[in-house]
Amino acid sequence: GGYNLLFFSQTATYDPEELIAYEIGYKTQWFEDRLQLNGSFYYYDYENIHTVGTEVSLVGGTSTSVLEAPGAEIYGIEAEATWLLTDRLTLGGNFSWTPSEYTESLLLSDPADASVPGSLYPEFADLTQDIKGNQLLQVPEGKATAWGSYRFPLQGGASLDLFGVYSWISRVYYSPFERESESADAYDRVDLRATFTSGNGSWIISAFVNNVFDDVGVLQVLREGEAEFFRQSAGTTVPRHYGLEVTFQTGRY
């Protein structure tokens, strides 16, 4: 638990989260241990779960506080695989599917809702919405990654390693009201890297391109109220960038 005193909140304190977690998993190896598969199925049952909401402040106006949502559920599947397909080629990946929802009623006010500005609705502080059934904050339903690496042996013990990775994440909500305007769209990206290592290991030269297709995703959505003209801002992932890394290690022969 904790305290909201810094925000002059009507809810001065909040109780600890209470969670019962059920999980069953497996780990297996196949084809003379060249293929490894791991996975799990899980269900999380929250009696209290911390969320962020708006309520009337003790000094007037509204304040943002940590509140106790009285119930929530998360259930899903996770799996990962690593496959040494040949002595030079390795493939791998993982995915998760994690539906979630608030399972009990919790009425919250939303001062960042431009459709009901406080100056036009004198009882705005009392206008609330029930978040029951909405997706949990910052818990994407789906995530996936796939990667591969290939090694070319060269003369004199040198090598060239190629590596690529693809990743994807589904829509994420950054407020408990589950509106598209306060969410981050699903996005994916591809990263590529090639690394040359000299025979004695003294030289390591890598060239890389991250976010090859320049798909910029949103990492956070910040929403402001009427005093800030309902401004919304966001942090984003890094756009496509590329570079060269050179390492020389002394004392190697």
Side-chain angles (χ1 to χ4, degrees):
Y3 300 90
N4 284 315
L5 295 177
L6 180 63
F7 305 105
F8 302 102
S9 170
Q10 291 279 6
T11 306
T13 64
Y14 51 92
D15 291 334
E17 288 188 337
E18 298 181 24
L19 166 67
I20 299 178
Y22 306 89
E23 184 169 348
I24 183 171
Y26 62 90
K27 294 183 178 181
T28 61
Q29 291 180 312
W30 304 79
F31 308 128
E32 298 179 344
D33 298 340
R34 299 173 72 90
L35 173 63
Q36 178 174 295
L37 297 174
N38 300 331
S40 64
F41 305 87
Y42 54 88
Y43 169 70
Y44 294 166
D45 184 10
Y46 285 92
E47 184 172 336
N48 287 323
I49 183 169
H50 297 160
T51 192
V52 177
T54 300
E55 58 183 356
V56 179
S57 171
L58 291 172
V59 294
T62 59
S63 66
T64 300
S65 305
V66 176
L67 303 175
E68 305 159 23
E73 293 179 341
I74 301 175
Y75 51 93
I77 301 172
E78 292 182 345
E80 63 177 358
T82 303
W83 191 2
L84 183 61
L85 198 59
T86 71
D87 290 342
R88 299 181 183 179
L89 176 62
T90 303
L91 303 176
N94 60 73
F95 84 94
S96 64
W97 182 250
T98 312
S100 64
E101 67 173 356
Y102 294 101
T103 56
E104 303 291 340
S105 291
L106 178 63
L107 298 176
L108 297 178
S109 177
D110 184 11
D113 185 356
S115 65
V116 283
S119 61
L120 300 180
Y121 292 81
E123 302 302 322
F124 174 65
D126 296 327
L127 295 176
T128 58
Q129 301 175 51
D130 193 347
I131 65 170
K132 181 180 179 181
N134 290 354
Q135 185 175 319
L136 267 62
L137 287 172
Q138 301 186 40
V139 179
E141 282 195 342
K143 296 173 67 176
T145 302
W147 58 269
S149 66
Y150 191 87
R151 167 164 290 192
F152 291 93
L154 304 175
Q155 292 183 349
S159 63
L160 176 64
D161 293 286
L162 304 180
F163 181 79
V165 58
Y166 168 84
S167 59
W168 169 84
I169 184 170
S170 67
R171 179 182 296 275
V172 180
Y173 291 95
Y174 289 97
S175 93
F177 304 106
E178 202 176 79
R179 299 191 193 97
E180 288 192 11
S181 62
E182 55 208 21
S183 67
D185 290 337
Y187 69 91
D188 56 6
R189 62 181 284 174
V190 173
D191 299 338
L192 301 175
R193 175 178 288 265
T195 301
F196 167 81
T197 304
S198 64
N200 59 8
S202 59
W203 286 98
I204 302 175
I205 303 173
S206 296
F208 65 89
V209 182
N210 290 341
N211 197 3
V212 173
F213 298 106
D214 201 24
D215 188 1
V216 177
V218 175
L219 294 175
Q220 178 65 279
V221 176
L222 302 176
R223 306 162 62 245
E224 305 292 347
E226 186 175 11
E228 297 294 332
F229 307 104
F230 300 106
R231 183 180 73 249
Q232 289 188 266
S233 57
T236 65
T237 60
V238 178
R240 178 174 56 233
H241 65 288
Y242 48 88
L244 185 69
E245 300 172 352
V246 178
T247 302
F248 176 71
Q249 302 182 71
T250 60
R252 300 184 71 108
Y253 301 96

